[in-house]
Amino acid sequence: MSDLYLIKIGEITLKKGNRGLFERQLKNNIKKILRPYPTRVTNRSGRFYLECEGLDEEYVSSCLSKVFGIVGYTRSYSCAKELDALEEKALLVAQQNIDAGVGMKFKVETRRVDKSLPLDNYGYSAEIGGRVFEKIPGLIVDVKNPDWIIHIELREKGYVYGFTHKGPGGLPVHSGGKGMLLLSGGIDSPVAGYLMAKRGMSLDAVYFHTPPYTSPESLEKVKDLARIIAPWTGGITLYTVPFTDVQVQINRSVRPETTTLHSRAAMMKIAQSMAHKRKDLALITGEALSQVASQTVESLAYTNSSVDLPVFRPLIGMDKEETILISRRIEAFDTSTQPYDDCCSLFSPDHPDVRPDLKKTQSEWETIEGMDALLAEAETQAEKFYFPPQRLKE
Ligand code: ATP
Ligand code: MG
């Protein structure tokens, strides 16, 4: 295969005994996001190499920018470890930078890992820099403040590359267990899913909808959000659960000010039951402390008490502005802010209880008739949709 990308990893290098597991997972994830195109991924001394053929750089770049575990990546050219071959590739990189209009000041930086070679780092940089300078008119050598750098690495082969793109960091998805994301149509929960995937967790997702009170468009919106986060999460399975009967029964049975709390608890219980069957070991929500009445510490204590699984809330200490920045960065924001109601806003009370008493609220739950059967029934009606990680080339 003719095209080579050099991939740099971060936190994985700190792993000791199980580093191999993380590395294998990263390899699989890179191959998976580029499927069905044939690729080869290898790793040697802390560097990963992706080989592919005939894929444009922008496409490969957009895929690699979404694979957690990667801290940087660059199109790279391999060649023999001798001066003429290195010069040829260095000229190629130089020309690309000039064509991209990033300036004319440059330098060469060499990392010689193979100590048997005749020149040292400085020797290679000076020699190749001199040759490039001579061949391309208008270039200026500036080692202090260059517009761009030609990197040479001399390992088992020679590698020449230019600008390194920043990767998303984190740990490879599927290396950190599996969780069930409660995905609503809002801004927060897709970001929460993204952040847990960044720590290596793979995700299922569940959305509770309330037809006919919520429109088919709000269901489509959540599917779109699942599709948007799927490249980051290495693919995602979304379950949509009809919640109307549960919601109506709650609204009929409890004080208006606690309806949201109980519907949140009902969602958590269904999500937990589904999680158990799919071997998801945690629930994930987009809650942030005190954002709304159902997210005060008292309310969260009640929601937590309704389930046994750990509940991960990666946004708990974040400002909305910080969440919005991430939402925009992952291109979820425009979809999240489409104006379709989710079930909660329609059934929300005017004066929710912001400081619910735990015991009292738990007792109130027990008074709701037929809830276990309604929760079980809702779960059986779940529909399943899978969104793969890859976006195929047009
Ligand atoms: P978001 O932007 O994620 O909708 P929000 O600020 O609107 O969050 P709430 O509506 O109170 O907050 O929901 C808090 C969390 O509960 C959500 O982040 C999500 O994890 C979960 N949740 C709420 N509604 C639903 C739903 N209909 N289906 C699945 N999960 C939900
Ligand atoms: Mg919401």
Side-chain angles (χ1 to χ4, degrees):
M1 281 183 260
S2 60
D3 301 343
L4 177 70
Y5 291 81
L6 187 121
I7 293 169
K8 300 178 184 183
I9 56 173
E11 196 175 328
I12 300 177
T13 55
L14 304 176
K15 302 283 171 202
K16 300 235 159 60
N18 53 1
R19 178 168 165 177
L21 284 177
F22 288 90
E23 291 183 337
R24 271 195 296 283
Q25 192 59 61
L26 180 59
K27 261 190 217 180
N28 288 342
N29 294 352
I30 294 169
K31 289 180 80 65
K32 188 170 172 189
I33 201 165
L34 284 157
R35 248 178 238 157
Y37 306 109
T39 52
R40 206 161 87 95
V41 182
T42 47
N43 65 312
R44 283 182 297 279
S45 28
R47 286 270 197 270
F48 279 62
Y49 300 90
L50 162 68
E51 291 164 80
C52 52
E53 180 115 30
L55 297 178
D56 60 72
E57 204 173 323
E58 211 177 307
Y59 173 72
V60 176
S61 182
S62 93
C63 291
L64 294 181
S65 70
K66 297 179 180 67
V67 179
F68 289 123
I70 295 178
V71 298
Y73 58 91
T74 172
R75 179 85 162 83
S76 170
Y77 303 90
S78 68
C79 62
K81 289 178 279 191
E82 49 98 10
L83 290 170
D84 288 348
L86 292 168
E87 176 194 331
E88 184 198 325
K89 303 301 182 198
L91 285 168
L92 198 66
V93 170
Q95 197 57 53
Q96 284 169 355
N97 283 315
I98 294 165
D99 294 346
V102 287
M104 296 303 273
K105 291 186 292 176
F106 86 108
K107 72 169 174 177
V108 178
E109 263 183 16
T110 305
R111 198 159 149 204
R112 188 192 61 155
V113 179
D114 178 352
K115 301 291 181 215
S116 71
L117 292 168
L119 302 179
D120 60 9
N121 288 340
Y122 175 78
Y124 279 102
S125 298
E127 179 63 29
I128 299 297
R131 292 182 181 206
V132 171
F133 175 74
E134 267 173 31
K135 294 256 163 73
I136 302 182
L139 282 183
I140 301 157
V141 177
D142 187 340
V143 292
K144 287 236 171 67
N145 192 22
D147 297 320
W148 42 271
I149 300 172
I150 300 173
H151 294 273
I152 297 178
E153 291 193 12
L154 298 162
R155 298 169 176 270
E156 68 299 328
K157 285 189 210 164
Y159 296 97
V160 182
Y161 57 91
F163 180 75
T164 301
H165 300 272
K166 202 168 158 11
L171 292 169
V173 167
H174 304 304
S175 67
K178 232 172 118 214
M180 176 67 83
L181 169 67
L182 283 85
L183 182 64
S184 67
I187 296 167
D188 299 330
S189 44
V191 172
Y194 162 88
L195 288 173
M196 292 319 300
K198 186 169 183 182
R199 295 308 300 163
M201 188 164 245
S202 61
L203 302 180
D204 289 317
V206 57
Y207 169 61
F208 299 95
H209 60 129
T210 321
Y213 302 100
T214 51
S215 61
E217 284 87 353
S218 46
L219 177 59
E220 285 312 306
K221 173 180 167 180
V222 174
K223 286 189 202 165
D224 285 343
L225 287 170
R227 195 175 291 117
I228 288 167
I229 63 170
W232 305 97
T233 60
I236 192 165
T237 302
L238 170 70
Y239 298 92
T240 61
V241 176
F243 196 65
T244 315
D245 292 347
V246 173
Q247 185 72 62
V248 167
Q249 180 65 350
I250 288 171
N251 279 59
R252 203 185 270 151
S253 313
V254 303
R255 293 169 295 146
E257 54 270 31
T258 57
T259 49
T260 309
L261 282 178
H262 291 301
S263 66
R264 203 62 87 233
M267 287 182 192
M268 298 289 260
K269 283 174 187 285
I270 297 173
Q272 170 166 273
S273 171
M274 297 175 76
H276 282 318
K277 292 176 186 122
R278 288 153 187 90
K279 303 207 167 25
D280 297 323
L281 297 180
L283 303 177
I284 300 155
T285 77
E287 290 159 315
L289 188 63
S290 300
Q291 191 184 80
V292 287
S294 60
Q295 296 172 32
T296 62
V297 65
E298 292 86 351
S299 300
L300 294 177
Y302 172 64
T303 322
N304 260 25
S305 77
S306 64
V307 287
D308 304 316
L309 278 180
V311 183
F312 291 164
R313 299 180 171 93
L315 309 188
I316 195 71
M318 280 169 63
D319 290 347
K320 194 78 183 184
E321 284 310 310
E322 295 171 278
T323 305
I324 288 175
L325 270 181
I326 301 176
S327 170
R328 285 191 193 281
R329 191 146 44 77
I330 64 174
E331 293 174 5
F333 187 75
D334 290 347
T335 303
S336 286
T337 49
Q338 284 168 6
Y340 304 117
D341 272 329
D342 76 19
C343 54
C344 321
S345 44
L346 289 175
F347 288 95
S348 300
D350 292 335
H351 302 290
D353 191 349
V354 291
R355 307 256 172 267
D357 178 82
L358 183 61
K359 289 272 168 317
K360 205 170 140 193
T361 320
Q362 286 170 331
S363 309
E364 191 176 31
W365 170 271
E366 298 302 329
T367 66
I368 311 175
E369 263 176 46
M371 203 27 119
D372 288 347
L374 285 171
L375 298 182
E377 176 58 22
E379 187 182 335
T380 61
Q381 289 179 28
E383 283 186 74
K384 179 177 173 178
F385 303 88
Y386 178 68
F387 300 94
Q390 55 276 94
R391 298 272 168 285
L392 297 186
K393 276 197 315 158
E394 260 117 56

